[in-house]
Amino acid sequence: MPLQDVTVSIELRKPSGLIGLGKPLIIAEKAGASTFKTYSSIDTVKPDFAETTEVYKKAAAVFAQDHRPSTLAIATYDPAATDTDPKTAAEAIAKYYDHDWFFLLTADIELTDEIAIADYVEGKKFKMYVVKTTDAASRNAFKVKDYDYVIDFYHPTAGEQADAALVGELGSQDVGSISWKFKSLTGITVLDINADELAAIHEDGAIAYVKKAGINQTSEGITVSGEYIDVMHGKSWVKTNMENSVQSAFANNGKVSFDSRGIALFDSAATTVLQQAFAQGIIAADEDGNPIYTVTTVPRSETLPADRASRVYNGLSFSFELAGAIHSAEIKGEILV
């Protein structure tokens, strides 16, 4: 991880300048030295990757969306590398994990390599891997791992990059402002399947692209484990922005004193992030429209002398209720005669 003095851990408990976290990274095989490069349009990709390559097609699918990101990154590896450069897609992820990206896409790799990458991303518990599967066996290979940070887009239609289109359309929209269900994608064909077939896809922890009420749309908004994508995305957003906000309090002040003044800076930094999370739709509102979160700080007098001596403050904590989303409705009516 990048160098930092602040670490935030968030436990997801069901009831009972800010970083957006949307930039895609495509991992691709390419002869020569490994590189990590940012591209602002599909035209800037052309000099490096032929239009016939899958990496180019994935980049094209990202940039074709209505809510496409301003940039995407492509990182390369070479199986014939003879030095410390990555020789596999998994090694490339390890090398470039701390670079600027959030949603991972892969091109032209085998299922075993996809699982290795999924294992690595899941172990980090922050960024997300979006994979496209084309058969039930591949779906099951991911399902048995019960990944929270992997999105499985089942799309057997040849030549279409549904995984890239999903990230291109939804990944860079304000975190918390959308559910990943009901969304239309450019350049993706709906599957001709029945309700039972779709239920089996969802049971495997995957999503699909279907037509409902005459509208082409994503069938669900879940990760492989069944958790909702917007929940996991929101959790990562709060974590990174809370860390950066408190880190900025250190950087922007000559000294953060270990007393009520310094502790108030932490309180303000945490509150600012949670207010923005509420504005974006991550945090729920109560009946009066107020955000449901708390920020708690421990006063100096209640901290340990050893912590004061070592200049470590462990007294800041926060909690909030997820806004969530409504994904279905049951409506009752009556006819009067």
Side-chain angles (χ1 to χ4, degrees):
M1 293 294 287
L3 295 176
Q4 60 191 49
D5 300 297
V6 183
T7 302
V8 173
S9 60
I10 301 176
E11 294 298 327
L12 184 60
R13 298 181 61 184
K14 298 188 176 181
S16 171
L18 295 171
I19 295 176
L21 300 187
K23 184 177 179 178
L25 169 66
I26 306 172
I27 295 291
E29 180 181 336
K30 186 180 182 182
S34 176
T35 60
F36 180 101
K37 185 175 178 180
T38 294
Y39 300 85
S40 59
S41 69
I42 192 59
D43 288 335
T44 62
V45 177
K46 287 181 181 179
D48 293 336
F49 299 95
E51 295 182 35
T52 55
T53 61
E54 188 174 31
V55 61
Y56 177 92
K57 293 174 182 177
K58 285 193 184 291
V62 169
F63 284 128
Q65 305 309 307
D66 291 339
H67 296 93
R68 59 189 174 274
S70 58
T71 61
L72 61 77
I74 300 176
T76 64
Y77 64 95
D78 182 359
T82 56
D83 52 17
T84 59
D85 268 3
K87 299 177 180 62
T88 66
E91 290 179 2
I93 292 301
K95 179 179 178 68
Y96 297 114
Y97 186 85
D98 289 333
H99 282 54
D100 178 24
W101 61 274
F102 188 82
F103 289 103
L104 174 64
L105 301 164
T106 50
D108 290 318
I109 64 173
E110 300 296 326
L111 177 60
T112 53
D113 295 316
E114 291 175 336
I115 294 296
I117 289 171
D119 287 343
Y120 184 87
V121 172
E122 185 74 12
K124 291 289 189 178
K125 298 190 179 302
F126 181 65
K127 297 180 178 183
M128 304 188 78
Y129 177 29
V130 185
V131 65
K132 182 183 75 171
T133 55
T134 58
D135 54 57
S138 298
R139 296 199 314 254
N140 290 332
F142 288 97
K143 179 58 180 175
V144 296
K145 295 297 190 84
D146 208 32
Y147 297 115
D148 280 330
Y149 292 86
V150 177
I151 303 167
D152 180 359
F153 201 140
Y154 172 72
H155 197 74
T157 305
E160 295 188 352
Q161 309 298 330
D163 52 341
L166 183 75
V167 171
E169 175 62 21
L170 306 180
S172 293
Q173 297 192 48
D174 285 344
V175 181
S177 67
I178 61 167
S179 161
W180 289 53
K181 186 178 180 180
F182 311 115
K183 300 302 183 289
S184 297
L185 306 175
T186 299
I188 304 301
T189 305
V190 296
L191 298 186
D192 183 14
I193 56 176
N194 59 39
D196 289 340
E197 291 170 323
L198 182 58
I201 293 169
H202 291 166
E203 181 65 25
D204 287 342
I207 66 174
Y209 199 56
V210 298
K211 181 177 294 237
K212 293 182 181 179
I215 301 172
N216 297 350
Q217 58 190 271
T218 51
S219 66
E220 249 304 347
I222 56 173
T223 66
V224 172
S225 69
E227 186 53 85
Y228 292 104
I229 299 168
D230 59 295
V231 168
M232 302 309 299
H233 201 189
K235 177 181 175 181
S236 293
W237 187 95
V238 171
K239 172 182 168 62
T240 195
N241 284 289
M242 190 68 71
E243 289 174 347
N244 287 344
S245 184
V246 177
Q247 186 76 44
S248 294
F250 286 124
N252 296 332
N253 292 274
K255 182 177 75 170
V256 177
S257 55
F258 207 129
D259 57 19
S260 60
R261 295 166 295 178
I263 294 170
L265 286 174
F266 290 165
D267 187 297
S268 176
T271 299
T272 297
V273 172
L274 295 178
Q275 279 292 145
Q276 183 62 32
F278 171 66
Q280 290 186 195
I282 297 172
I283 294 177
D286 63 18
E287 288 76 8
D288 296 321
N290 299 313
I292 308 175
Y293 70 78
T294 59
V295 177
T296 304
T297 55
V298 174
R300 172 188 169 92
S301 60
E302 296 180 17
T303 61
L304 297 174
D307 286 343
R308 296 196 295 271
S310 60
R311 300 190 171 193
V312 176
Y313 181 71
N314 294 314
L316 176 66
S317 61
F318 63 91
S319 65
F320 59 86
E321 290 191 21
L322 288 164
I326 299 173
H327 277 190
S328 63
E330 295 184 4
I331 302 172
K332 295 180 181 180
E334 63 179 17
I335 299 175
L336 301 179
V337 295

